[in-house]
Structure formats: structure tokens, C-alpha cells
């Protein structure tokens, strides 16, 4: 297996809002993590735990006031090794929770073309990028000439992501990508994310309250509470640690919590299940079939 | 309390324009909690907007407490009866201080000061924010903001509360607090509730479940009976089974059968472990 290619590394990072003012408010403490090429990671934790602040650090919208954050991607830093914010923002694409917040042009085409144009691409290059990105996102060519505001929520979200992908980022950061989508659209969206990782080798950082999707998609999950990472690991590792999840009000996934209950009643559970299918398997093992 | 009689609706009157709702007939009784589910674009929000005269049917009639929503003289009577809460509480909060925000609507009704005070306390008590009445609204968490938005509507003393995806933006804790509050509003305040949601676990709290597909009402009845029809049926509507039902259905296919009463009990996730332990014991 090839060595892991670290794209962004954070070491003991801390961040305080309004430093030195009476309204000073510490938001992050001692955060260390690596964003690895081609990995999907999820940040989970209840409202106010620091998830949104952390993703703002990833694309240099905010700089840490202690510790160190480094971007290891080509061309992002100047000759002194300092990050150039404009380049970081292009390399680390951020999609907000409400796609309508970041879609603003008159047609879908113009909206997707905005980023590449700002980066100085020629009209021909821009057109190529727009078509390629639209195809990648499964957006119909006809949609490109519509105004974004008559599209459904799910399609609008794809347009917003296409606008970010057109800047050819290495890391895609999504804040609550599933909010407001119906259950089947959520599934479609999940396979889309896996496809993007597959095709582009993107790293994906997801902030989500939907723990079942986080469990299904992520290579690694970081649980945050009070501005700290309190638990991290694979989905199975994280959702096995019931005590920590409860302590920090992070929530549980139903398969794991029912399994814990069954285990307490004397059933043998080999490994923490993450889905109904896996839990059914564990139950049937006890049943002697 | 709410009656749809052969209701159709389309946003444009041009020939060939699609119908957002097609020939819907159904009743929601006084005091009932009705949950509306369906894919994005299936007509849920259109249906909600027909309840307080934001929209009137293209064909057919909607009656609220016997009043026709398409008659001009009923509009304001109906809007006083039907309170609305939307997905994003930020759009619905007008005050900077919690109690002022809740007082906004009663003040605009021109009520005497003592009545306003009484209603503000009633609403904040109901949603559990009475201890935060002097807080800045900007300092509340997402779940608290949504509860505040609900308090603002309860202060109007509505007979019907319509909630359009009130938990879509919230974390698990916020979501639970809103669901508990909705049950309390139904059980203690005896308000008729219409809840639109994409969370299938929450669909189980309804007395009645309404499933829309492309503007048609494909199901109106007990939630457990809808989800008992199995995964294949449910996924036709772009929906998923609640976790408990998915599990019982998988086990059922593999030989551990559950009775209808098990499914009804499984509407309460806390019962699931006991139901399965019981089935496994019987099977041995």
C-alpha cells in the first residue's frame, strides 16, 4: 500500500474568538489531526462543540492562535512556506449547509464558471471545466442554462458543490450535506460523495448530525465536545464507546445502542453493528441459525 | 378539524402545467397528530400552505373547522386558528430578547397588557424556555431557537399547529427536544398538529400518517401499518423504514416472525430490545 499522503496537518491547534476583548471566547483546544488524500472524515458532536470553527481553519478563513496548521498541497504556499489564502481557499473547497447561500449567478452555467474565471482560466478552459464538473455531479446539460432559483433543494445543492469543484480543490469540506434531503436523496448523495473520492481522489471532510451516514461513509470519525476532540477512530471504534458518547452527548446510532441493550440482557454480540443488517446477523448468530 | 375534499393545486394556470397536488381527499380530526411524509417535491409544503390560505385550491375545497379556505371572509379567522413553524427558526424570530419575541404577535393582535403577559408566560412555560425569558435570542442554541419559534406561535393560541420540517437543522439532542415538545402540545394543550418530516423515526409518533407521491396521497392511516408493508413498498416513495421496522423486517425474512402488536410496540425505540429478547426466547 502506498504511504499516506497528508494534505493538511493540524498540531495542537487552539483558537479563541475575539481574543483580548471582553467577549473573548475560546472555541478550540489542542486539536491534532491529519487530512489524508482520498479519505473521508466526519466531525460529529453537538451544536457549539467547535465543528464549524474547525472547518473554517481548514481553508484558512481563520488562523489558529496557538499550535500549527500546515497545508502540504503543491502550490498553496509561497516561497517562505507561508500559506497564500487565495490558493488555500481554492484547494480546500467549502460547501455551506444552505446551498442557496452560495449560489448567486443568473444561470447555473455562470455560477459554476465563476470560480475558474476568478482563477484566471481562459473562456475555453472555463467551458471545459463547467461541462466536466456538471457531468461529474450528474447535472443535466439543460439545467446549465436555467436560473438556479427554480431548482429543487437537492439539485441546488449539487450546483453549489459543482461551483466549488470547478475550482479543482483537493479537499472538499461539507457542512451538513444531507440536511433537508429526503431519505433516498440522502442515499444518492452518499454514493455521489464516494464517486467523487473515487474519480478525483478527493479528501472529504463532513460535518453531520446524521450519524448513520457518518458511520457508513467515513474512514475516520472525530467526535468533538467543548472545543476538543474527545474520541476518534473508525466508525466501529467510535460507536463502541458508549460511555464516552453519552458523556459528551454525541448521540448513538440505533444498531449499536440496541446491540448494547441486547448484550446487557445476555445476548452475545461479536462486534458492534453499524446497520440493521449487521445487527440482524448478530441476533441470528445467537438464535443458532 | 381539517378536511380536504378532492383538492388539486397547481402553481401555474398555463395549459399542461403540472399539478403539485392531485385530487386529495382526507380528514384530520380535532386533537390528532398527523405526520406528512414524501420525497422532495411530492407536495408536502404545498399541502401545508393550503391550511392557512397562503394558497387556495385550484379545484376542490379545504375546510378548517368547517370554514372554506377559499372564501375571503374566512382568511383572517383561519390564519388566527392555524399557526406555522418553518424549518429555519432564524427566519421566524423577530425580537432580540426572548420574551419580546414571543410578545410580538399578541401585541399586534392589540390585546391588553395583562393578557399579553399571560400569553407570553404560557407559551414560554409550554416550550420550557421560561427560565430564559430575558436571554438574547441570538444566544440560544438551534433547538432552543426552534422552541422559541414554536412559543411565538403558541402565544397566538392556535387550534392547529403546522410544522414544516422543524428538526431538519438540529442535532440529535435538539431533535429529541422538539419531538417531546410536539407530543406535549398534542397531549396537554390539545392542539391539532400537522408535522412534515423526513425523519422516519419521527413519523412513528403520529396518530395518522399521510404519504404523498407526485401530489397524490398514496396512504393515510396508522403509521405502523404503513411501515409494516416492508422496505420495497416504502422505497417506492423515496422513503426509508424506521430503524426498528427495518430490523424486524430483516429478521422476519430470516425466520423470526413478529406479530403486529410487536410492530406497534416497536414505534417506541426503547421497547425494541425487549421485543427481540422475547422473540429469541420463544424461538428457542
Amino acid at each position: 500500500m502506498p504511504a499516506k499522503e497528508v494534505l493538511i496537518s493540524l498540531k495542537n491547534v487552539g483558537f479563541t474568538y475575539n481574543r483580548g476583548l471582553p467577549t473573548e471566547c475560546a472555541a478550540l483546544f489542542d486539536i491534532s489531526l491529519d487530512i489524508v488524500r482520498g479519505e473521508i472524515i466526519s466531525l460529529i458532536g453537538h451544536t457549539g462543540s467547535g465543528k464549524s470553527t474547525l472547518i473554517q481553519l481548514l481553508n484558512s478563513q481563520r488562523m489558529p492562535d496557538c499550535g500549527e496548521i500546515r497545508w502540504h498541497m503543491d502550490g498553496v504556499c509561497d516561497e517562505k512556506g507561508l500559506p497564500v489564502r487565495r490558493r488555500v481557499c481554492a484547494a480546500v473547497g467549502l460547501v455551506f449547509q444552505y446551498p442557496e447561500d452560495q449560489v448567486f449567478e443568473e444561470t447555473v452555467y455562470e455560477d459554476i464558471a465563476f470560480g475558474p474565471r476568478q482563477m484566471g482560466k481562459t473562456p475555453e478552459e472555463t467551458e471545459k471545466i463547467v461541462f466536466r464538473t456538471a457531468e461529474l455531479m450528474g447535472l443535466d446539460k439543460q439545467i446549465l442554462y436555467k436560473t438556479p432559483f427554480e431548482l429543487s433543494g437537492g439539485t441546488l445543492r449539487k450546483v453549489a458543490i459543482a461551483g466549488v469543484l470547478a475550482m479543482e480543490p483537493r479537499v472538499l469540506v461539507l457542512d451538513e450535506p444531507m440536511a433537508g434531503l429526503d431519505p433516498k436523496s440522502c442515499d444518492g448523495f452518499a454514493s455521489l460523495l464516494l464517486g467523487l473520492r473515487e474519480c478525483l481522489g478527493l479528501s472529504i471532510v463532513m460535518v453531520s448530525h446524521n450519524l448513520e451516514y457518518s458511520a457508513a461513509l467515513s474512514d475516520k470519525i472525530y467526535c468533538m465536545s467543548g472545543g476538543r476532540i474527545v474520541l476518534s477512530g473508525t466508525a466501529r471504534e467510535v460507536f463502541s464507546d458508549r460511555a464516552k458518547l453519552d458523556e459528551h452527548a454525541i448521540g448513538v446510532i440505533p444498531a449499536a445502542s440496541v446491540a448494547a441493550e441486547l448484550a446487557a440482557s445476555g445476548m452475545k454480540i461479536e462486534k458492534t453493528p453499524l446497520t440493521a443488517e449487521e445487527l440482524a446477523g448478530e441476533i441470528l448468530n445467537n438464535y443458532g441459525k | 378539524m381539517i378536511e380536504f375534499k378532492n383538492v388539486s393545486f397547481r402553481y401555474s394556470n398555463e395549459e399542461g402545467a403540472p399539478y403539485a397536488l392531485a385530487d386529495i381527499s382526507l380528514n384530520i380530526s380535532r386533537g390528532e397528530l398527523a405526520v406528512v411524509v414524501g420525497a422532495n417535491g411530492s407536495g408536502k409544503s404545498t399541502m401545508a400552505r393550503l391550511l392557512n390560505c397562503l394558497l387556495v385550491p385550484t379545484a376542490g375545497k379545504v375546510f378548517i373547522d368547517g370554514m372554506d379556505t377559499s372564501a375571503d371572509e374566512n382568511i383572517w379567522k383561519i390564519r388566527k386558528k392555524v399557526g406555522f413553524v418553518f424549518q429555519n427558526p432564524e427566519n421566524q424570530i423577530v425580537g432580540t430578547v426572548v420574551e419580546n419575541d414571543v410578545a410580538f404577535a399578541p401585541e399586534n393582535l392589540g390585546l391588553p397588557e395583562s393578557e399579553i403577559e399571560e400569553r407570553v408566560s404560557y407559551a414560554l412555560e409550554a416550550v420550557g424556555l421560561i427560565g430564559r425569558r430575558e436571554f438574547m435570542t441570538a444566544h440560544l442554541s438551534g433547538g432552543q431557537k426552534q422552541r422559541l419559534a414554536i412559543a411565538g406561535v403558541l402565544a397566538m393560541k392556535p387550534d392547529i399547529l403546522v410544522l414544516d420540517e422543524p428538526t431538519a437543522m438540529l442535532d440529535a439532542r435538539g431533535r429529541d427536544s422538539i419531538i417531546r415538545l410536539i407530543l406535549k402540545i398534542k397531549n396537554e394543550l390539545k392542539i391539532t398538529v400537522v408535522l412534515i418530516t423526513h425523519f422516519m423515526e419521527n413519523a412513528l409518533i403520529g396518530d395518522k400518517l399521510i404519504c404523498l407521491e407526485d401530489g397524490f396521497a398514496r396512504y393515510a392511516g396508522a403509521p405502523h401499518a404503513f411501515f409494516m408493508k416492508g422496505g420495497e413498498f416504502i422505497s417506492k416513495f423515496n422513503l426509508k423504514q424506521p430503524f426498528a421496522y427495518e430490523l424486524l423486517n430483516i429478521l422476519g425474512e430470516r425466520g423470526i416472525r413478529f406479530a403486529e402488536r410487536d410492530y406497534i410496540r416497536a414505534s417506541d425505540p426503547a421497547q425494541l430490545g425487549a421485543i427481540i429478547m422475547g422473540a429469541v426466547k420463544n424461538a428457542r
Side-chain angles (χ1 to χ4, degrees):
Chain A
M1 223 171 107
K4 281 186 176 180
E5 186 187 338
V6 176
L7 301 182
I8 309 175
S9 57
L10 282 80
K11 272 209 187 81
N12 312 110
V13 164
F15 179 80
T16 303
Y17 284 102
N18 300 339
R19 176 162 279 267
L21 296 175
T23 50
E24 179 173 292
C25 173
L28 292 177
F29 304 89
D30 198 24
I31 302 283
S32 296
L33 60 87
D34 288 337
I35 309 287
V36 175
R37 182 185 144 85
E39 275 192 2
I40 298 182
I41 70 171
S42 284
L43 305 176
I44 64 176
H46 64 75
T47 317
S49 59
K51 308 184 299 285
S52 300
T53 308
L54 179 53
I55 62 177
Q56 289 170 19
L57 289 173
L58 293 179
N59 84 339
S60 78
Q61 276 186 38
R62 299 183 188 281
M63 293 303 277
D65 36 38
C66 60
E68 181 185 63
I69 175 163
R70 274 176 181 273
W71 290 270
H72 305 283
M73 296 164 278
D74 295 339
V76 161
C77 297
D78 60 16
E79 55 279 3
K80 284 184 224 141
L82 294 171
V84 180
R85 182 168 285 180
R86 191 168 47 83
R87 297 187 203 155
V88 174
C89 287
V92 183
L94 191 59
V95 181
F96 299 113
Q97 182 172 4
Y98 286 95
E100 52 272 36
D101 289 352
Q102 73 192 82
V103 173
F104 59 92
E105 281 282 5
E106 278 180 28
T107 66
V108 171
Y109 183 98
E110 291 299 310
D111 201 87
I112 301 176
F114 181 83
R117 276 193 198 132
Q118 295 297 309
M119 292 166 71
K121 302 275 183 196
T122 66
E124 294 76 36
E125 285 172 323
T126 303
E127 181 169 42
K128 235 188 247 165
I129 292 174
V130 172
F131 285 138
R132 196 180 56 217
T133 322
E135 194 184 332
L136 207 56
M137 293 303 296
L139 291 168
D140 226 34
K141 271 211 173 137
Q142 294 159 352
I143 282 181
L144 288 177
Y145 304 101
K146 285 193 173 175
T147 151
F149 303 102
E150 49 184 63
L151 304 176
S152 73
T155 315
L156 199 54
R157 191 155 311 179
K158 288 184 182 171
V159 171
I161 296 176
V164 173
L165 286 180
M167 319 247 288
E168 302 180 319
R170 308 283 305 278
V171 179
L172 184 64
V173 183
L174 303 150
D175 194 356
E176 289 292 344
M178 313 286 189
L181 297 184
D182 65 48
K184 268 294 149 67
S185 306
C186 288
D187 282 355
F189 201 82
S191 15
L192 182 75
L193 292 181
L194 293 172
L196 289 177
R197 184 224 337 234
E198 195 66 37
C199 296
L200 306 175
L202 271 181
S203 305
I204 297 173
V205 180
M206 212 165 61
V207 170
S208 182
H209 292 319
N210 194 325
L211 303 185
E212 282 170 86
Y213 281 106
S214 298
L217 292 174
S218 308
D219 298 300
K220 201 160 185 198
I221 295 179
Y222 293 91
C223 305
M224 297 190 65
S225 177
R228 292 173 201 278
I229 293 172
V230 292
L231 180 62
S232 66
T234 63
R236 215 176 293 284
E237 287 163 357
V238 164
F239 289 109
S240 300
D241 197 339
R242 185 62 187 268
K244 272 245 172 73
L245 294 171
D246 284 347
E247 182 190 340
H248 299 287
I250 286 161
V252 288
I253 53 176
S257 74
V258 173
E261 202 184 318
L262 295 176
S265 316
M267 202 180 263
K268 211 165 126 246
I269 303 287
E270 301 266 333
K271 59 177 186 178
T272 304
L274 299 176
T275 61
E277 192 68 44
E278 287 181 1
L279 175 55
E282 293 285 348
I283 294 169
L284 291 164
N285 283 342
N286 283 271
Y287 182 54
K289 270 204 169 177
Chain B
M1 193 68 178
I2 299 172
E3 188 180 8
F4 278 63
K5 262 197 171 153
N6 304 101
V7 172
S8 295
F9 179 83
R10 56 181 181 180
Y11 282 93
S12 157
N13 273 325
E14 277 171 45
E15 211 171 314
Y19 278 91
L21 288 180
D23 197 24
I24 297 210
S25 295
L26 53 86
N27 289 302
I28 297 168
S29 313
R30 188 179 296 274
E32 229 174 15
L33 167 54
V35 179
V36 185
V37 298
N40 291 124
S42 61
K44 303 185 299 297
S45 297
T46 305
M47 189 172 171
R49 282 167 176 72
L50 287 163
L51 294 174
N52 73 342
C53 319
L54 281 173
L55 301 172
V56 292
T58 310
K61 295 268 184 218
V62 176
F63 295 97
I64 302 295
D65 213 1
M67 289 185 287
D68 181 352
T69 61
S70 61
D72 283 346
E73 70 270 20
N74 290 337
I75 289 181
W76 294 104
K77 280 186 240 160
I78 289 173
R79 288 200 180 149
K80 261 194 198 170
K81 270 183 187 296
V82 184
F84 247 80
V85 174
F86 298 96
Q87 186 178 112
N88 189 347
E90 306 273 351
N91 297 341
Q92 205 161 344
I93 292 172
V94 290
T96 49
V97 174
V98 167
E99 59 182 357
N100 297 353
D101 182 75
V102 179
F104 178 81
E107 277 169 1
N108 279 288
L109 291 176
L111 297 172
E113 206 165 310
S114 59
E115 169 83 12
I116 293 173
E117 167 51 33
E118 188 267 317
R119 286 193 181 202
V120 169
S121 300
Y122 156 85
L124 286 175
E125 186 72 54
V127 303
L129 286 178
I130 194 82
R132 293 176 194 252
R133 57 186 304 159
E134 284 165 16
F135 272 50
M136 304 287 283
T137 53
H139 292 170
L140 299 178
S141 72
Q144 289 168 342
K145 279 182 185 165
Q146 193 57 287
R147 282 190 276 147
L148 173 62
I150 294 173
V153 174
L154 289 179
M156 302 278 285
K157 300 235 168 147
D159 293 331
I160 299 171
L161 179 63
V162 183
L163 305 113
D164 193 349
E165 287 197 56
T167 62
M169 297 188 51
L170 306 179
D171 60 16
R173 231 173 21 168
R175 201 154 61 225
D176 288 346
S177 81
I178 296 299
I179 292 303
R180 277 198 306 273
L181 174 58
I182 290 171
L183 286 170
K184 179 178 169 191
I185 288 170
K186 176 206 134 141
N187 292 330
E188 291 175 23
L189 309 184
K190 311 285 181 202
I191 293 175
T192 307
V193 182
V194 178
L195 168 66
I196 296 175
T197 184
H198 281 318
F199 288 95
M200 295 303 121
E201 317 294 331
N202 299 347
L204 291 169
I205 67 168
D207 299 307
K208 177 178 270 171
L209 179 127
I210 297 164
C211 171
L212 298 180
E213 181 193 31
D214 299 330
F216 291 92
R218 301 296 190 196
Y219 182 89
H224 78 272
F226 178 74
F227 289 115
M228 267 180 75
K229 291 174 190 276
E232 217 170 295
F233 171 79
I234 305 297
S235 68
K236 279 198 308 201
F237 305 113
N238 268 16
L239 302 176
K240 271 187 167 176
Q241 307 174 76
F243 177 79
Y245 282 60
E246 186 186 358
L247 181 66
L248 296 189
N249 285 336
I250 294 174
L251 291 171
E253 283 163 20
R254 312 230 179 122
I256 305 186
R257 302 248 170 238
F258 294 92
E260 182 169 1
R261 71 185 143 75
D262 293 324
Y263 278 88
I264 296 173
R265 268 176 76 202
S267 299
D268 175 6
Q271 300 284 327
L272 189 55
I275 295 168
I276 289 165
M277 287 311 288
V280 171
K281 264 190 206 119
N282 287 338
R284 276 204 175 120

